[in-house]
Amino acid sequence: MNTFGRILRISLFGESHGGAVGCTLDGVPPGIPLSEADLLPDLQRRKSGKVGTTPRQEPDQPRIVTGVFQGHSTGAPLTILFENTNTRSRDYRQFVDSPRPGHADFVAQQKYGGFQDYTGGGHFSGRVTLGVVAAGAIAKKIIAPAAISSEVLEIGGQQDYEAVLAAAVEAHDSLGGIIQLRVDGLPVGLGEPFFDAVEARLAHAVFAVPATRGIEFGTGFPAARMKGSEHNDPIIDERGTTATNHAGGINGGITNGNPVVFRVAVKPTSSIGRPQRTMNFAKGAVEEMLIEGRHDSCIALRIPPVLEAVTALVLADFKLVAQATAPAPQGS
Amino acid sequence: MNTFGRILRISLFGESHGGAVGCTLDGVPPGIPLSEADLLPDLQRRKSGKVGTTPRQEPDQPRIVTGVFQGHSTGAPLTILFENTNTRSRDYRQFVDSPRPGHADFVAQQKYGGFQDYTGGGHFSGRVTLGVVAAGAIAKKIIAPAAISSEVLEIGGQQDYEAVLAAAVEAHDSLGGIIQLRVDGLPVGLGEPFFDAVEARLAHAVFAVPATRGIEFGTGFPAARMKGSEHNDPIIDERGTTATNHAGGINGGITNGNPVVFRVAVKPTSSIGRPQRTMNFAKGAVEEMLIEGRHDSCIALRIPPVLEAVTALVLADFKLVAQATAPAPQGS
Amino acid sequence: MNTFGRILRISLFGESHGGAVGCTLDGVPPGIPLSEADLLPDLQRRKSGKVGTTPRQEPDQPRIVTGVFQGHSTGAPLTILFENTNTRSRDYRQFVDSPRPGHADFVAQQKYGGFQDYTGGGHFSGRVTLGVVAAGAIAKKIIAPAAISSEVLEIGGQQDYEAVLAAAVEAHDSLGGIIQLRVDGLPVGLGEPFFDAVEARLAHAVFAVPATRGIEFGTGFPAARMKGSEHNDPIIDERGTTATNHAGGINGGITNGNPVVFRVAVKPTSSIGRPQRTMNFAKGAVEEMLIEGRHDSCIALRIPPVLEAVTALVLADFKLVAQATAPAPQGS
Amino acid sequence: MNTFGRILRISLFGESHGGAVGCTLDGVPPGIPLSEADLLPDLQRRKSGKVGTTPRQEPDQPRIVTGVFQGHSTGAPLTILFENTNTRSRDYRQFVDSPRPGHADFVAQQKYGGFQDYTGGGHFSGRVTLGVVAAGAIAKKIIAPAAISSEVLEIGGQQDYEAVLAAAVEAHDSLGGIIQLRVDGLPVGLGEPFFDAVEARLAHAVFAVPATRGIEFGTGFPAARMKGSEHNDPIIDERGTTATNHAGGINGGITNGNPVVFRVAVKPTSSIGRPQRTMNFAKGAVEEMLIEGRHDSCIALRIPPVLEAVTALVLADFKLVAQATAPAPQGS
């Protein structure tokens, strides 16, 4: 549902055009220096406004409503709100009758029996990830000194993607992309097999992010074409450093001290400004539709801080859990 | 940890060379016709013995210890045991000093402080998936009439893989592969966003299975190179059928009534019969090691029923949860 | 922690003097008619202002921020906020040095390392139950037509408690009380043994409410002094009606169709206006303290709607879970 | 359902006359010295055979199937089995038609649609608590040096209960009792409000145990008749020792370093050898029934090690969780 994590638990809420979006983060250790300013850099990175992203501008100002006192986390739940202010009135009702291809319009209507908030995508809106990014900024503090970075490997199949992006914007079409995540400085021993293998929870969190279509760890899909003698990573020192990192920093579902590396495939944005076919349920006929307005041509450009955030949330939770499940002191 | 699911919950236990492996499955609706014979077909498919798989032969006979009465599930927890009988004594202690590349030897030693059962891989052994496959056979009954199928798309990069497999066996090396899963007949509306998107929980469960390195839904990684106008699936009838299925049967994290399709990358088996370098912690030096014995040259050939099983477990849980979260009857 | 429930899940947040208190309720079925006005009657009952309750007056105006659209629940998380407006500045810091007897001052200081919000009790404040009462009002809609009622059985040991209450107020002292809860109209079959017996989850939720010291179901403690021949409830019709209800409507952890009845002991309010001894950690000496200000002389008078709310939350969750775990249709 | 705990998680399974009863305990820290012999003392205390308990004698021999290696816990799930050997064949089918008063016969038939294992009480049998006691013996090791003790305060209303017990046995009737639990040596700071207050989880676990009807902490129900000036416990030293312990060692849901004390009311055993009225659903009429065989006349005499076990499981889980949620090191 909308809660995730064992010790560090995020609960998400909100709709694009409702009163607010936000999250509650429970299980944050007390004593972490924290203010709203700490959340702004990642929120800024998530913002639209660049080429290929929607011109809708929200202030995206986080308000830490609870859980911080005198500049530190208190140990009580931390609720962060983003009030919705820029909700354009518009005829979203039409998408109940004529569900947009690639969107959740059709499944939401079926699952929620017509009661879903259909304005602006409702709870399916990418705007809900604001709470994820804010929580992730806190999780990054928990996993320090480990550090997460991300890189746009390609957009529309191109490493140098400016031209293809401009062409897509011009054509009112959209592009996807591939993002690589990397985490340096993790200790050996995070992860709780069987079901809470590090890859398992990372993938879980990554696929919760809208528009993700694939994930691969270490060498990933190409590993399926390697021989064991090529793929196995030789251990070359007493800290567990490996000569290669085909495993992506994880063995048996547990971090091995090498960088955790994975890549995420992001689909082209579903909202495009070109004619599309869909079923019109009111008329009982397939017809052509054109979605007006301006949208992100490439959500992959805004998704990196969201992927970093879910990565941080997963790893911070693992770190706290590892403190709980450490070997018993000798003599106990 | 070792429990997974919200309503239908599997708890796994066991080690390769301990007393047994098995599982407890809680939340099974009462009244499902069930006997040990129902579990055998998938267990048989998981078995070794074919070319490219280990010649270790266990009877793999499941014993349903609890939760079945007069041929039906009772609604109480269902425990299934596989006694370990064919545990070859062997010097596994050496792998604590000289951790095998690609295995969990090193991380287990670090995480569990030397107390892990290191014989035969312990709880990290692929033998633990016996309990998964048995539970999956029950989950398949819960999701009926929906049906799961799997297909080996390629081994060692080859669709026609017999020659490459024979060569790998000959060379005491190993191969990976790519498996495609497909689920037909699912209703519209399974999945519970934000965090329990269908892809999220499927990926979680898939990456819990040892040796998985990647997963992609629908068109997957290639979708990152498509335009939105190519990738969006037009809805062409009132049941939500789409002209194409780039989305792999899922929109907004919810099943849309089309076949759910995803592919899984399986790495080459880590155990190979060729010299490898690793750190010898007793000597404090990197040296060459040779792992004796015979192993699976291609675990990808045995993994399909395991992947089907975790798929069934996830979807059955979603089906039960959907019964709980259905829209309120009018007038309530 | 601060989340409770399997399908219907409440997440609580807030501090007495922080920005707000409130809750997020996930798993609410879509289609339930709902507005802020529906929450007011129980919130009004929880309010202070009567004899024996604190004169601090907050407007306690709930704001449903998310999860309601066009007058109905949407199926998305429902967040309800109560902004804190009447936070009197006062020297709460003194209670870190001289922890108040009966309060959480000492344990909070130890557990949270001094980072807890100590103003007004912080997250330990009874004000946090505002979110519980609001969520409970929604849960009551889910369990309808079953209905919950509560009764103050005694205050300060007296059924007719006006005089004893006036005397306590006069003496700047406080009183406890016993509250009886009753639920009529529940179906047979709610409850999920072993660990989710109905009494187990009700007691869990009741003891989460501050100031509760005991709970007993049906005949309760006096049942320990009865013979089995006296205590067993004869079943007298085909719906399971029993001649007596010593069991309090629950057998084997499952509702039996008779009224669910239990009583809760509420301690006398810890804040009193009389001199008390406590350790002054700054001085390293035990000394007398006097807590200024005005407080509830009897929290038991305000707690009934809170107890009704947690009862409703538990039973609504059981109702939704029962829909998920119902017997399989014949022929499945 | 049948799993309980956040880090230390017990999963229970089994029926009285099925193949076995037992449990899986996940989250046990690696390195705890452990063998089957360690489980025997508490299992022996739970055994029947004394006056007032059933003469059914099972060997109750635990088998640790997984999770222990070379005499220590490994960190992998620990499964403990008790094979059922002494299952007397008998006509339990009659209790489906004529449900026994005080038993779960009626509710099980309704909830599980007739598919429940009705022999010997099935999953509702007290025999299922064998797994609880075994797991509790391990949990006691985790909370050491804190120690749990229990005391039978009264049986049938008498502190000196031999005569009243003999009379009940003679009359084929049954008695209840009150048990007091006490835990010494706990650190300050266990417990995770709001919902995981120490009392909340202890009460949850206690009411999962069959036959419990009430619980009270510290002074309990009598506290409802005290004044605040009498009930508040003065803190008298820097470790938080209090002059009195009306609070039962818990403030604000968190242990305060004083002994945790609570009492549990146990109902008289439902199975009695005297005529009782019940509905015969086959005949559609109320009639008199007589349950043959011999049963516990006083389950309260066997329940103390079960209550100790659930207490240990709850506190051990809190201890591990507290390691995860400790304040962040300065400078983090």
Side-chain angles (χ1 to χ4, degrees):
Chain A
M1 327 252 288
N2 291 282
T3 300
F4 187 72
R6 185 174 301 272
I7 295 291
L8 184 73
R9 295 165 77 86
I10 181 173
S11 295
L12 271 187
F13 52 83
E15 299 93 21
S16 181
H17 288 50
V21 297
C23 70
T24 296
L25 192 60
D26 199 5
V28 179
I32 298 178
L34 196 57
S35 73
E36 279 130 358
D38 296 335
L39 314 180
L40 296 180
D42 279 346
L43 291 168
Q44 185 64 33
R45 292 172 58 213
R46 180 195 164 282
K47 256 193 174 161
S48 59
K50 291 167 285 191
V51 172
T53 65
T54 173
R56 169 178 169 177
Q57 286 286 352
E58 298 266 2
D60 291 354
Q61 181 60 39
R63 177 180 163 220
I64 301 180
V65 182
T66 68
V68 169
F69 180 62
Q70 297 183 339
H72 294 79
S73 62
T74 63
L78 221 143
T79 295
I80 305 169
L81 275 189
F82 298 83
E83 300 280 343
N84 286 330
T85 55
N86 187 0
T87 55
R88 290 171 54 184
S89 87
R90 170 177 173 165
D91 181 16
Y92 283 101
R93 172 74 209 167
Q94 60 175 304
F95 302 138
V96 174
D97 287 344
S98 295
R100 292 167 292 177
H103 278 273
D105 299 339
F106 170 71
V107 295
Q109 174 72 9
Q110 298 291 311
K111 182 174 182 67
Y112 302 106
F115 293 106
Q116 75 279 8
D117 179 351
Y118 50 72
T119 56
H123 188 54
F124 291 91
S125 166
R127 186 162 168 75
V128 171
T129 61
L130 272 175
V132 174
V133 171
I138 299 168
K140 286 179 179 180
K141 289 178 173 242
I142 297 176
I143 65 168
I148 301 173
S149 59
S150 60
E151 188 184 351
V152 177
L153 294 188
E154 58 174 66
I155 297 292
Q158 305 295 320
Q159 290 180 269
D160 181 353
Y161 51 80
E162 284 187 36
V164 69
L165 188 59
V169 172
E170 176 73 22
H172 303 291
D173 212 332
S174 66
L175 297 178
I178 298 179
I179 314 296
Q180 179 164 290
L181 277 285
R182 178 185 168 112
V183 193
D184 288 279
L186 287 173
V188 180
L190 303 188
E192 303 290 331
F194 189 81
F195 288 109
D196 292 337
V198 170
E199 303 99 318
R201 286 193 82 87
L202 282 176
H204 185 147
V206 160
F207 280 113
V209 178
T212 50
R213 298 282 81 203
I215 190 170
E216 59 179 10
F217 291 86
T219 301
F221 274 85
R225 292 168 183 167
M226 294 170 77
K227 299 201 176 90
S229 57
E230 299 164 331
H231 183 267
N232 285 349
D233 300 310
I235 301 173
I236 56 171
D237 69 21
E238 297 195 332
R239 292 174 310 174
T241 307
T242 53
T244 50
N245 189 15
H246 295 301
I250 306 168
N251 287 123
I254 295 173
T255 56
N256 65 17
N258 293 280
V260 166
V261 181
F262 60 95
R263 282 169 299 287
V264 178
V266 182
K267 73 174 184 181
T269 318
S270 297
S271 286
I272 56 174
R274 296 171 67 88
Q276 300 181 84
R277 278 190 308 148
T278 193
M279 186 73 201
N280 183 321
F281 284 76
K283 297 183 183 165
V286 174
E287 60 178 21
E288 203 160 80
M289 78 184 304
L290 182 63
I291 306 171
E292 296 180 357
R294 294 175 66 184
H295 294 274
D296 287 297
S297 295
C298 183
I299 198 69
L301 291 171
R302 293 179 64 189
I303 218 171
V306 183
L307 296 178
E308 290 181 19
V310 295
T311 300
L313 287 163
V314 166
L315 294 173
D317 191 32
F318 275 134
K319 182 175 177 180
L320 300 182
V321 169
Q323 295 174 194
T325 58
Q330 293 307 315
S332 75
Chain B
M1 327 252 289
N2 291 281
T3 300
F4 188 73
R6 187 174 298 273
I7 295 292
L8 184 73
R9 293 167 78 86
I10 181 172
S11 296
L12 270 188
F13 52 83
E15 300 93 21
S16 180
H17 288 50
V21 297
C23 70
T24 296
L25 193 60
D26 199 6
V28 178
I32 297 178
L34 196 57
S35 74
E36 279 130 359
D38 297 334
L39 314 179
L40 296 180
D42 279 346
L43 291 168
Q44 185 63 34
R45 292 172 57 214
R46 180 193 165 283
K47 256 194 172 158
S48 59
K50 290 167 286 191
V51 172
T53 65
T54 174
R56 169 178 169 177
Q57 287 286 350
E58 297 266 2
D60 290 354
Q61 181 60 40
R63 176 181 164 221
I64 302 180
V65 182
T66 67
V68 169
F69 180 63
Q70 297 182 339
H72 294 79
S73 61
T74 62
L78 220 144
T79 295
I80 305 170
L81 276 190
F82 297 84
E83 300 281 344
N84 286 331
T85 55
N86 187 359
T87 56
R88 291 171 54 184
S89 88
R90 168 177 175 167
D91 180 16
Y92 283 102
R93 173 73 209 167
Q94 61 176 304
F95 303 139
V96 174
D97 286 343
S98 297
R100 292 167 291 177
H103 278 272
D105 299 338
F106 170 72
V107 294
Q109 175 70 12
Q110 298 290 312
K111 183 175 182 67
Y112 302 106
F115 293 106
Q116 75 280 7
D117 179 352
Y118 50 72
T119 56
H123 188 55
F124 291 91
S125 166
R127 186 162 168 75
V128 171
T129 61
L130 273 175
V132 175
V133 171
I138 299 167
K140 286 179 178 179
K141 289 180 172 242
I142 297 175
I143 63 167
I148 300 172
S149 59
S150 60
E151 185 183 354
V152 177
L153 292 189
E154 58 174 66
I155 296 293
Q158 305 296 321
Q159 289 180 269
D160 182 353
Y161 52 80
E162 285 188 34
V164 69
L165 188 59
V169 172
E170 177 73 20
H172 304 291
D173 213 332
S174 66
L175 297 178
I178 297 178
I179 313 297
Q180 179 164 290
L181 277 284
R182 180 185 166 112
V183 193
D184 287 277
L186 287 173
V188 180
L190 303 189
E192 303 291 332
F194 187 84
F195 288 107
D196 292 336
V198 171
E199 304 99 318
R201 286 193 81 87
L202 282 174
H204 185 148
V206 160
F207 279 113
V209 178
T212 50
R213 298 281 82 201
I215 191 170
E216 58 178 11
F217 290 86
T219 301
F221 274 85
R225 294 169 182 166
M226 294 171 76
K227 299 201 178 91
S229 58
E230 299 164 333
H231 183 267
N232 284 349
D233 300 311
I235 302 174
I236 56 172
D237 69 21
E238 297 195 331
R239 291 174 311 173
T241 307
T242 53
T244 50
N245 189 16
H246 296 301
I250 306 169
N251 288 123
I254 295 173
T255 56
N256 66 16
N258 292 280
V260 165
V261 181
F262 60 96
R263 283 169 299 288
V264 178
V266 182
K267 74 173 183 181
T269 318
S270 297
S271 287
I272 58 175
R274 297 171 67 88
Q276 300 182 83
R277 279 191 307 148
T278 193
M279 186 74 199
N280 183 321
F281 284 76
K283 297 183 183 166
V286 174
E287 61 178 20
E288 201 160 80
M289 78 184 304
L290 182 62
I291 305 171
E292 295 179 359
R294 294 176 66 185
H295 294 275
D296 288 297
S297 295
C298 184
I299 198 69
L301 293 171
R302 294 179 64 189
I303 218 172
V306 183
L307 296 178
E308 291 181 17
V310 294
T311 301
L313 286 163
V314 166
L315 294 173
D317 191 32
F318 274 133
K319 182 175 177 179
L320 300 182
V321 168
Q323 293 173 195
T325 58
Q330 294 306 315
S332 78
Chain C
M1 327 254 286
N2 291 282
T3 300
F4 188 73
R6 186 174 299 273
I7 295 292
L8 184 73
R9 294 167 78 87
I10 181 173
S11 296
L12 271 187
F13 52 82
E15 300 92 20
S16 180
H17 289 49
V21 297
C23 70
T24 296
L25 192 60
D26 198 7
V28 178
I32 297 178
L34 195 58
S35 73
E36 280 131 358
D38 297 334
L39 314 180
L40 296 180
D42 279 347
L43 290 169
Q44 185 64 33
R45 291 173 58 214
R46 181 193 164 283
K47 257 194 172 159
S48 60
K50 290 167 285 192
V51 173
T53 65
T54 175
R56 169 178 170 177
Q57 287 286 350
E58 297 265 2
D60 291 354
Q61 182 60 41
R63 176 180 162 221
I64 302 180
V65 181
T66 68
V68 169
F69 180 62
Q70 298 183 337
H72 294 79
S73 61
T74 62
L78 220 143
T79 295
I80 305 170
L81 275 190
F82 297 83
E83 299 281 343
N84 286 330
T85 55
N86 187 359
T87 55
R88 291 171 52 185
S89 86
R90 169 177 174 168
D91 181 14
Y92 283 102
R93 173 72 210 168
Q94 61 176 304
F95 303 140
V96 174
D97 287 343
S98 295
R100 291 167 292 176
H103 278 274
D105 299 338
F106 170 71
V107 295
Q109 175 70 11
Q110 298 291 312
K111 183 175 181 67
Y112 301 106
F115 293 106
Q116 74 280 6
D117 178 352
Y118 49 72
T119 56
H123 189 55
F124 291 92
S125 165
R127 186 161 169 75
V128 172
T129 61
L130 273 175
V132 175
V133 171
I138 299 168
K140 286 179 178 180
K141 290 179 173 242
I142 297 175
I143 64 167
I148 301 173
S149 59
S150 60
E151 186 184 352
V152 178
L153 294 188
E154 58 174 66
I155 296 293
Q158 307 295 320
Q159 290 179 268
D160 182 352
Y161 52 79
E162 284 186 35
V164 69
L165 189 59
V169 171
E170 176 74 21
H172 303 290
D173 213 333
S174 66
L175 298 177
I178 298 179
I179 314 296
Q180 178 164 289
L181 277 284
R182 179 185 167 112
V183 192
D184 288 277
L186 287 174
V188 181
L190 302 189
E192 302 292 331
F194 186 83
F195 288 107
D196 291 337
V198 171
E199 303 100 319
R201 286 193 81 87
L202 282 175
H204 186 147
V206 160
F207 279 113
V209 178
T212 50
R213 298 281 81 202
I215 191 171
E216 58 178 12
F217 291 86
T219 301
F221 275 86
R225 293 168 182 167
M226 294 171 76
K227 297 198 177 95
S229 58
E230 298 164 334
H231 183 266
N232 284 349
D233 300 311
I235 301 173
I236 56 172
D237 69 21
E238 297 195 332
R239 291 174 310 174
T241 308
T242 52
T244 50
N245 189 15
H246 295 301
I250 306 167
N251 288 122
I254 294 173
T255 56
N256 66 17
N258 293 279
V260 165
V261 180
F262 60 95
R263 282 170 299 289
V264 178
V266 181
K267 74 173 184 181
T269 318
S270 297
S271 287
I272 56 175
R274 296 171 67 88
Q276 299 182 83
R277 278 191 307 149
T278 193
M279 186 73 201
N280 183 320
F281 284 76
K283 298 182 184 167
V286 173
E287 60 178 21
E288 203 160 78
M289 77 184 304
L290 181 63
I291 306 172
E292 295 180 357
R294 295 176 66 185
H295 293 276
D296 287 297
S297 295
C298 183
I299 198 70
L301 292 171
R302 294 179 65 190
I303 218 171
V306 183
L307 296 178
E308 291 181 18
V310 292
T311 301
L313 286 164
V314 166
L315 294 173
D317 191 32
F318 275 134
K319 181 175 177 179
L320 300 183
V321 169
Q323 293 173 196
T325 58
Q330 294 305 318
S332 77
Chain D
M1 328 255 286
N2 291 280
T3 300
F4 188 72
R6 185 174 300 272
I7 295 291
L8 184 74
R9 295 167 76 87
I10 181 172
S11 295
L12 272 186
F13 52 83
E15 300 94 19
S16 180
H17 289 49
V21 298
C23 70
T24 296
L25 192 60
D26 200 5
V28 179
I32 297 178
L34 196 57
S35 74
E36 279 131 358
D38 296 334
L39 314 179
L40 296 180
D42 279 346
L43 291 168
Q44 186 63 33
R45 291 171 59 213
R46 181 194 163 283
K47 257 195 172 161
S48 60
K50 291 167 285 191
V51 172
T53 65
T54 174
R56 170 178 169 177
Q57 287 286 351
E58 297 266 2
D60 290 354
Q61 182 60 41
R63 177 180 162 222
I64 301 180
V65 182
T66 67
V68 169
F69 180 62
Q70 297 182 339
H72 293 79
S73 61
T74 62
L78 220 143
T79 296
I80 305 170
L81 275 189
F82 298 83
E83 299 282 342
N84 287 329
T85 56
N86 187 0
T87 55
R88 291 171 53 185
S89 87
R90 170 177 173 167
D91 181 14
Y92 283 101
R93 173 73 210 166
Q94 61 176 302
F95 302 139
V96 173
D97 287 343
S98 296
R100 291 166 293 176
H103 278 274
D105 299 338
F106 171 71
V107 295
Q109 174 70 11
Q110 299 290 313
K111 182 174 182 67
Y112 301 107
F115 292 106
Q116 75 279 9
D117 178 353
Y118 50 71
T119 56
H123 188 55
F124 291 91
S125 166
R127 187 163 168 75
V128 171
T129 61
L130 273 175
V132 175
V133 171
I138 298 167
K140 286 179 179 180
K141 289 178 173 244
I142 297 175
I143 64 167
I148 301 173
S149 59
S150 61
E151 187 185 351
V152 177
L153 293 189
E154 59 174 66
I155 296 292
Q158 306 295 320
Q159 290 179 269
D160 182 353
Y161 52 79
E162 284 187 34
V164 68
L165 189 59
V169 172
E170 177 74 20
H172 303 291
D173 213 333
S174 65
L175 298 177
I178 297 178
I179 313 297
Q180 179 164 289
L181 277 284
R182 178 183 167 113
V183 193
D184 287 278
L186 287 174
V188 181
L190 302 188
E192 302 292 331
F194 187 83
F195 288 108
D196 291 337
V198 171
E199 305 99 317
R201 286 194 82 88
L202 282 175
H204 185 148
V206 160
F207 280 113
V209 178
T212 50
R213 298 281 81 204
I215 191 170
E216 58 179 11
F217 291 86
T219 301
F221 274 85
R225 293 168 183 167
M226 294 171 77
K227 298 197 177 97
S229 57
E230 299 163 333
H231 183 267
N232 284 350
D233 300 311
I235 301 174
I236 57 171
D237 69 20
E238 296 195 334
R239 292 174 310 173
T241 308
T242 53
T244 50
N245 189 15
H246 295 302
I250 306 167
N251 287 124
I254 294 174
T255 56
N256 66 17
N258 293 279
V260 166
V261 181
F262 60 95
R263 283 169 298 288
V264 178
V266 182
K267 73 174 185 180
T269 319
S270 297
S271 287
I272 56 175
R274 297 172 66 89
Q276 300 181 84
R277 279 191 306 151
T278 193
M279 186 73 200
N280 183 321
F281 284 77
K283 296 182 183 167
V286 174
E287 61 178 19
E288 203 161 77
M289 78 183 305
L290 182 63
I291 306 171
E292 295 180 356
R294 294 176 66 185
H295 294 276
D296 288 297
S297 294
C298 183
I299 198 70
L301 292 171
R302 294 180 63 190
I303 217 171
V306 184
L307 296 178
E308 290 180 18
V310 293
T311 301
L313 287 163
V314 166
L315 293 173
D317 191 32
F318 274 133
K319 182 175 177 179
L320 300 182
V321 169
Q323 294 173 196
T325 58
Q330 294 305 317
S332 75

